Amino acid sequence: MHSFDDAISPAVAVAMLQGQGIKISERTLRERARELGACRVIGKAMFLLPVDIEAILEASKPVRRSASAPSASAWSEADSLALYQRLREPRKKRQAKLPD
């Protein structure tokens, strides 16, 4: 069970982050906390526990791409060849058909 002694408001969390040189708005922190479900809300009041702050920080890590797995392209060598051939064909002038 958690204690209210460790609870802080989003405003206090933002002030702590800004004290460390990390610029974030209270609104952004509140939105992110709600999005992750990493907050406690009673009525209109929102507060954060240390476990919530850890969840927000963990979710904020950038996703690392695997260097060994090449990205799959939907464009194939055959598609490239077909496009090349189409671009090399001489253009035909379109003639408007006149009604009979």
Side-chain angles (χ1 to χ4, degrees), residues 20-79:
Q20 296 296 317
I22 302 167
K23 307 256 188 235
I24 185 172
S25 71
E26 183 179 346
R27 182 178 185 168
T28 299
L29 181 63
R30 285 175 174 274
E31 286 174 356
R32 187 75 169 147
R34 275 195 187 95
E35 178 183 297
L36 296 170
C39 61
R40 307 295 190 266
V41 179
I42 298 175
K44 291 184 180 181
M46 175 188 280
F47 61 94
L48 306 169
L49 295 173
V51 68
D52 298 326
I53 303 242
E54 288 297 322
I56 293 167
L57 293 175
E58 188 64 30
S60 299
K61 285 184 178 180
V63 177
R64 187 172 183 189
R65 292 185 184 186
S66 175
S68 62
S71 61
S73 174
W75 194 263
S76 70
E77 212 38 56
D79 294 329

Side-chain angles (χ1 to χ4, degrees), residues 81-96:
L81 183 59
L83 177 62
Y84 176 75
Q85 289 173 348
R86 194 179 87 208
L87 292 173
R88 297 278 302 176
E89 290 175 4
R91 289 187 176 184
K92 297 177 185 176
K93 291 185 180 180
R94 293 184 181 178
Q95 293 180 353

